[in-house]
Amino acid sequence: MSPTVYVETYGCQMNVSDSELMLGTMADHGYRAVEQPEGADVILVNTCAIRDHAEQRVIGRLGELKRHMKRDAIVGVTGCMAQRLGPQLLEKAKHVSLVIGPDGYRALPALVERARSGERSLSTSFDLEEHYEDFKPKRFDRVKAWIPVQRGCDYRCTYCIVPYTRGAERSRRLADVVREVEQVAADGMTEVVLLGQTVNSYRDGEGGGDFADLLRAVGAVPGIRRVRFTSPHPNDFSDRVIGAIAEVDAVCEHVHLPMQSGSTRTLKRMLRRYNREDYLACVARLRSAIPGLSLTTDVIVGFPGETEEDFAETLSAVREVGFADAFTFIFSPRDGTPATRLPAELSVPPEIAGERMAQLLETVRGMARERNLNLLGARREVLVEKAARRGDLLQARTRDFKTVLLPGDESMIGRYYTVELTGTTGSTFTGSIVHTRPPLPLAG
């Protein structure tokens, strides 16, 4: 019987994509993927280091896995936390045999075999040439595909650990990205999500193409009906990129545009390289070019030195933009980032940060609910993605990234429907099917 491998993923979509790469290379070496850790021959925990809470969850999970793993199982920690902590993980968790950073997955099968003979391994070197082009990912999703187009980051925001865990920014060749998208379409998937830490700064070093060229090329692949991307940086929305979003039919009317703060003073300490006015101007340019555009964002509260006035500016920016949704975070210091060197007296007390978070959530959710109530009765195209968590409902998504719950069965997954929005909880919709959408004509 084939040996088995289980991968547990924490963190962002890039980590999901990396887990698919690991499962793919393990499959090429004779391993069969399983959905539970109990009884697996190899257990890999693919980790996130963006906040302390995420790391603590993984430490706790490693303890749980030790109690449930089979005696001769190989346990590895991969991803950003592995890159950040390195040998500390081998010291803290004696049952862990492998610690592998995001650029070390090529050696994974060989290191697993060495672990069987009792050798513990550490692989956390950066490789600025590594894009895993010859890997065949084993995808979790049968409806949409996560496609990395860029690895690493050069922006060095003062709160962010990513440049230290994923290295310098480097982009894939445009032709390689298109080849992968073509394979995804051949496999029957119709939606792709282009991934990068600052995805719209993408540039093909060989051909010279930029993110606008990439969007146009991917959007022209026959069979691809929806193109999304995450996460862009406000500074990299050139007129060419905005024009491509507006003009390529497959590119969806949704942009996740991280703001982090609405205060110029705070943005300067974050080293975000734009101010409040620049961000709002970017929003205006996007909305002017793309009718019906939906915007979501990231916001951090409690960053060192954030005053009540700074936070009030964040709330006013949220109201001015009218985000459809926001991922909100209380500042979490990460060892090794410049923010940890800010004077201690700038720290925002936890109780104040918590109060600000509550106000921010109330503002975001209240505005979203009001906007969504006004959409009741509207008709939208949706793609059915998966079974919903509750009842016998399905989860679908509109082009502008709204979640719609529908009655139906699993035979509907991966299909397009026109629905009428019949109800809302404030964040998600319920809908009734008006008719099935016919296939779009193939591009080209």
Side-chain angles (χ1 to χ4, degrees):
M1 179 179 284
S2 301
T4 56
V5 57
Y6 167 77
V7 178
E8 190 165 291
T9 309
Y10 294 82
C12 66
Q13 293 94 335
M14 188 69 78
N15 269 16
V16 173
S17 175
D18 281 353
S19 290
E20 294 177 339
L21 291 174
M22 286 188 279
L23 283 174
T25 192
M26 293 298 283
D28 286 345
H29 286 78
Y31 284 81
R32 177 172 56 89
V34 293
E35 296 183 358
Q36 299 295 331
E38 290 77 15
D41 296 296
V42 178
I43 299 171
L44 302 173
V45 183
N46 192 14
T47 62
C48 175
I50 199 73
R51 295 191 305 281
D52 182 66
H53 175 68
E55 290 192 356
Q56 295 308 314
R57 282 183 64 199
V58 170
I59 293 294
R61 181 58 173 155
L62 288 173
E64 293 176 10
L65 290 172
K66 183 178 181 181
R67 294 195 296 271
H68 297 292
M69 60 187 274
K70 59 189 285 190
R71 183 175 180 181
D72 58 347
I74 304 301
V75 177
V77 180
T78 66
C80 292
M81 179 178 169
Q83 184 73 39
R84 191 180 87 82
L85 296 180
Q88 296 179 47
L89 281 170
L90 292 176
E91 295 169 6
K92 290 180 178 180
K94 299 300 183 184
H95 61 297
V96 170
S97 299
L98 311 170
V99 174
I100 306 176
D103 289 350
Y105 303 142
R106 188 171 296 279
L108 176 60
L111 296 181
V112 167
E113 290 308 305
R114 284 159 57 176
R116 295 196 181 284
S117 63
E119 181 178 346
R120 306 175 80 204
S121 300
L122 175 70
S123 177
T124 54
S125 297
F126 288 123
D127 183 349
L128 298 184
E129 303 300 319
E130 185 59 270
H131 286 291
Y132 303 109
E133 295 294 357
D134 55 330
F135 278 41
K136 298 176 183 177
K138 183 175 176 59
R139 301 195 188 275
F140 297 119
D141 201 315
R142 59 187 171 120
V143 175
K144 64 176 178 292
W146 309 103
I147 309 287
V149 303
Q150 176 195 78
R151 300 179 79 85
C153 184
D154 288 343
Y155 264 96
R156 305 275 173 167
C157 302
T158 56
Y159 55 82
C160 186
I161 196 69
V162 168
Y164 310 97
T165 60
R166 288 191 171 269
E169 178 186 308
R170 67 270 195 195
S171 297
R172 296 172 65 185
R173 293 193 312 130
L174 189 149
D176 290 331
V177 176
V178 171
R179 173 187 51 77
E180 183 173 355
V181 173
E182 290 172 341
Q183 183 58 57
V184 162
D187 291 340
M189 284 181 275
T190 61
E191 179 176 316
V192 294
V193 187
L194 308 180
L195 300 178
Q197 297 303 143
T198 55
V199 67
N200 54 336
S201 67
Y202 168 91
R203 185 164 293 278
D204 180 350
E206 292 188 11
D210 63 4
F211 191 60
D213 295 313
L214 183 66
L215 287 175
R216 294 182 186 280
V218 169
V221 171
I224 296 300
R225 295 179 61 157
R226 289 186 175 184
V227 177
R228 302 186 188 276
F229 55 90
T230 194
S231 287
H233 193 284
N235 285 5
D236 293 309
F237 273 110
S238 66
D239 290 341
R240 281 175 48 79
V241 169
I242 293 176
I245 298 170
E247 295 162 14
V248 178
D249 290 341
V251 177
C252 292
E253 296 81 15
H254 166 248
V255 171
H256 184 74
L257 188 65
M259 182 177 72
Q260 309 303 0
S261 174
S263 160
T264 293
R265 291 178 63 253
T266 302
L267 290 168
K268 184 175 182 180
R269 285 195 300 278
M270 290 178 168
L271 197 59
R272 286 294 288 171
R273 307 189 193 192
Y274 56 82
N275 58 31
R276 175 192 176 92
E277 290 71 27
D278 296 333
Y279 183 89
L280 295 176
C282 180
V283 168
R285 290 170 61 224
L286 285 165
R287 285 197 161 140
S288 174
I290 307 156
L293 179 69
S294 173
L295 288 171
T296 55
T297 195
D298 298 332
V299 183
I300 297 171
V301 300
F303 190 79
E306 182 187 68
T307 64
E308 286 296 332
E309 181 182 6
D310 294 327
F311 177 65
E313 290 184 356
T314 293
L315 286 183
S316 71
V318 166
R319 294 188 185 102
E320 182 169 343
V321 174
F323 295 109
D325 200 0
F327 295 93
T328 56
F329 311 93
I330 293 176
F331 170 70
S332 174
R334 312 306 294 127
D335 289 342
T337 60
T340 60
R341 299 193 292 272
L342 291 171
E345 58 267 22
L346 293 179
S347 296
V348 176
E351 62 274 13
I352 292 178
E355 291 171 1
R356 291 176 184 172
M357 172 63 83
Q359 291 181 60
L360 176 61
L361 287 173
E362 182 180 1
T363 300
V364 171
R365 291 172 180 171
M367 294 181 67
R369 178 174 177 77
E370 181 178 348
R371 186 178 302 107
N372 289 346
L373 284 170
N374 289 331
L375 288 174
L376 294 182
R379 294 184 175 186
R380 294 287 187 271
E381 177 196 79
V382 299
L383 170 60
V384 179
E385 296 183 333
K386 59 184 178 181
R389 293 182 180 180
R390 72 174 202 253
D392 56 354
L393 298 175
L394 299 171
Q395 178 176 307
R397 202 172 290 276
T398 64
R399 284 178 58 93
D400 60 354
F401 210 63
K402 292 176 173 58
T403 300
V404 183
L405 302 182
L406 302 171
D409 58 54
E410 291 195 2
S411 68
M412 296 166 59
I413 293 175
R415 298 178 65 185
Y416 290 83
Y417 298 87
T418 296
V419 301
E420 181 174 320
L421 304 178
T422 57
T424 182
T425 64
S427 57
T428 62
F429 289 91
T430 54
S432 61
I433 295 172
V434 177
H435 60 80
T436 305
R437 297 287 292 172
L440 292 178
L442 297 182

